Amino acid sequence: MPERLADHTTLRLGGPAERWVRATTEDELVAAVSEADAAGRPVLVLGGGSNLVVADDGFPGTVVEVATGGIVPDVDVDGGDPAAAASCGGVMVTVAAGEAWDDLVAHAVGRGWAGVEALSGIPGSVGATPVQNVGAYGQEVSQTIASVRVWDRVLRGVRTFANADCRFGYRTSRFKADPGRHVVLSVTFQLRVGTLGQPVAYAELARALGVEVGQRAALGDVREAVLGLRRGKGMVLDAADPDTWSAGSFFTNPVVDPALVPDGAPAWPQPDGQAKTSAAWLIEHAGFGRGHGPERGHLRVSLSTKHTLALTNRGGATTADLLALAREVRDGVDRRFGIRLVNEPVLVGCEL
Ligand SMILES: Cc1cc2nc3c(=O)[nH]c(=O)nc-3n(C[C@H](O)[C@H](O)[C@H](O)COP(=O)(O)OP(=O)(O)OC[C@H]3O[C@@H](n4cnc5c(N)ncnc54)[C@H](O)[C@@H]3O)c2cc1C
């Protein structure tokens, strides 16, 4: 029986893969991708499947599942003097692409490494985080990534990109802009050493912690507060809760001419003079509330009942069902506000 992508994606959608390789070492990962490339076979590099929408027809090529492991700090501060490490600019931690992102965050918080605590609870693998510059609650991985080591499928060699060369932006990077070219092998993070997190940069999180924006809180408290907020929005995976059978936020927050931001909608100024507004606000104000779907004939998919930005599989759905709902929401927002929402997850073999 061929492996089905539906068994490897958080949306629980996607047909069979023609070929499947699970790579547990870096050598296996590079070999699997290189062999498929040499044979002219399409390749899909798969992490945790939490940002993927795969066609019902499946994938006509090799899925390479990244299952490598290892979290290696340059200075092992356990039992040593954290202050000494901190005075040298913190700890540099090199992490294999296949490590689960939230395991790394838990490990960092437990060790007293600050800088990723607000990114608690995000599903998926470490190797995927630089691809869309994962972010939440005022932090982005680009703030702590020192470098990204990749297999370059065009140059057929290993390369290391320093942070400044990754072209990080809001939910984007050079890896996202040049899809499929770079297979992330490992990521090196530079983290501060201490008991307090980075200054809290998000009002909702600051309120939950009882601090002001810009103040610090204990690392463990930040992690717990973020997990609590995320659970309330169905943004922590839970096999028993279909509100989490999603790809997280389905649309990115649009960045537009400030004049286009509707009255009453949030407008966050951007360095280039544009304004970022809230996709969730636009969706709600275009008439799509939480749980939207069944009343419009979408029987097996709906917006999450906890968060309008997540499109969810209520059980037994197909990718075609999900895309029909996504189109309805995107086109409804466009008609109402003249702003075209763009999908955040990667679409494989299908389009909106
Ligand atoms: C409930 C939920 C909540 C979420 N919350 C957030 C959030 O708060 N913030 C946020 O930014 N995202 C969020 N996401 C989206 C998602 O978790 C992230 O984008 C995550 O980094 C995807 O990791 P993954 O390993 O699952 O990638 P996959 O879904 O497996 O792959 C996504 C893309 O990355 C590529 N890729 C994966 N691994 C590699 C690699 N090693 N090298 C090269 N390319 C690779 C794939 O080919 C694909 O194009 C959420 C998703 C869910 C389901």
Side-chain angles (χ1 to χ4, degrees):
M1 276 282 280
E3 289 280 346
R4 288 168 61 243
L5 269 306
D7 296 326
H8 296 269
T9 55
T10 52
L11 270 165
R12 302 168 182 228
L13 296 175
E18 193 176 293
R19 205 160 166 268
W20 195 281
V21 181
R22 183 177 154 84
T24 58
T25 66
E26 222 175 83
D27 286 349
E28 286 173 12
L29 179 52
V30 171
V33 172
S34 307
E35 279 164 24
D37 283 346
R41 239 183 266 124
V43 173
L44 172 61
V45 176
L46 178 74
S50 63
N51 212 26
L52 277 177
V53 180
V54 183
D56 292 314
D57 289 345
F59 187 70
T62 305
V63 172
V64 181
E65 184 185 351
V66 184
T68 54
I71 300 179
V72 183
D74 64 340
V75 191
D76 194 352
V77 293
D78 201 20
D81 178 5
S87 67
C88 317
V91 59
M92 300 283 269
V93 193
T94 298
V95 188
E99 285 285 345
W101 169 256
D102 196 49
D103 289 354
L104 171 64
V105 177
H107 185 89
V109 167
R111 285 286 173 119
W113 302 339
V116 290
E117 59 282 352
L119 302 173
S120 293
I122 297 178
S125 62
V126 167
T129 58
V131 176
Q132 73 151 0
N133 183 17
V134 156
Y137 295 98
Q139 278 180 0
E140 288 185 337
V141 283
S142 58
Q143 293 164 341
T144 44
I145 286 179
S147 60
V148 180
R149 231 174 101 255
V150 303
W151 172 255
D152 182 331
R153 290 171 63 200
V154 173
L155 298 182
R156 304 183 50 73
V158 173
R159 299 172 74 186
T160 300
F161 292 103
N163 181 303
D165 298 322
C166 293
R167 298 189 205 135
F168 287 123
Y170 168 62
R171 293 298 168 276
T172 193
S173 69
R174 75 178 305 151
F175 315 114
K176 179 136 185 175
D178 198 353
R181 171 168 177 174
H182 304 99
V183 180
V184 176
L185 302 174
S186 65
V187 184
T188 300
F189 297 87
Q190 180 163 25
L191 302 171
R192 205 174 43 77
V193 177
T195 54
L196 298 180
Q198 291 297 88
V200 176
Y202 200 81
E204 187 187 19
L205 177 59
R207 275 196 301 279
L209 285 162
V211 300
E212 298 292 323
V213 169
Q215 290 184 328
R216 298 177 194 268
L219 279 174
D221 292 349
V222 177
R223 176 167 170 79
E224 286 315 310
V226 168
L227 288 173
L229 290 170
R230 294 185 66 96
R231 282 196 191 99
K233 298 175 187 172
M235 286 291 179
V236 177
L237 292 184
D238 176 353
D241 181 1
D243 275 335
T244 73
W245 301 357
S246 76
S249 301
F250 196 88
F251 298 105
T252 52
N253 287 326
V255 177
V256 294
D257 185 318
L260 282 181
V261 176
D263 284 347
W268 299 289
Q270 300 300 293
D272 62 357
Q274 302 266 92
K276 192 200 284 179
T277 188
S278 159
W281 189 98
L282 296 172
I283 291 169
E284 277 162 28
H285 288 78
F288 305 104
R290 293 179 190 179
H292 169 89
E295 75 282 16
R296 294 291 299 273
H298 301 285
L299 300 178
R300 299 174 295 193
V301 290
S302 78
L303 300 189
S304 159
T305 68
K306 301 184 181 77
H307 194 359
T308 48
L309 250 189
L311 272 63
T312 62
N313 175 356
R314 309 314 289 187
T318 63
T319 302
D321 293 333
L322 187 91
L323 293 173
L325 176 63
R327 280 182 206 114
E328 187 198 8
V329 171
R330 181 200 60 188
D331 295 348
V333 167
D334 201 352
R335 271 196 305 276
R336 175 79 179 78
F337 297 112
I339 295 177
R340 195 146 181 95
L341 295 178
V342 174
N343 53 289
E344 181 185 304
V346 176
L347 307 185
V348 177
C350 53
E351 53 189 35
L352 257 192

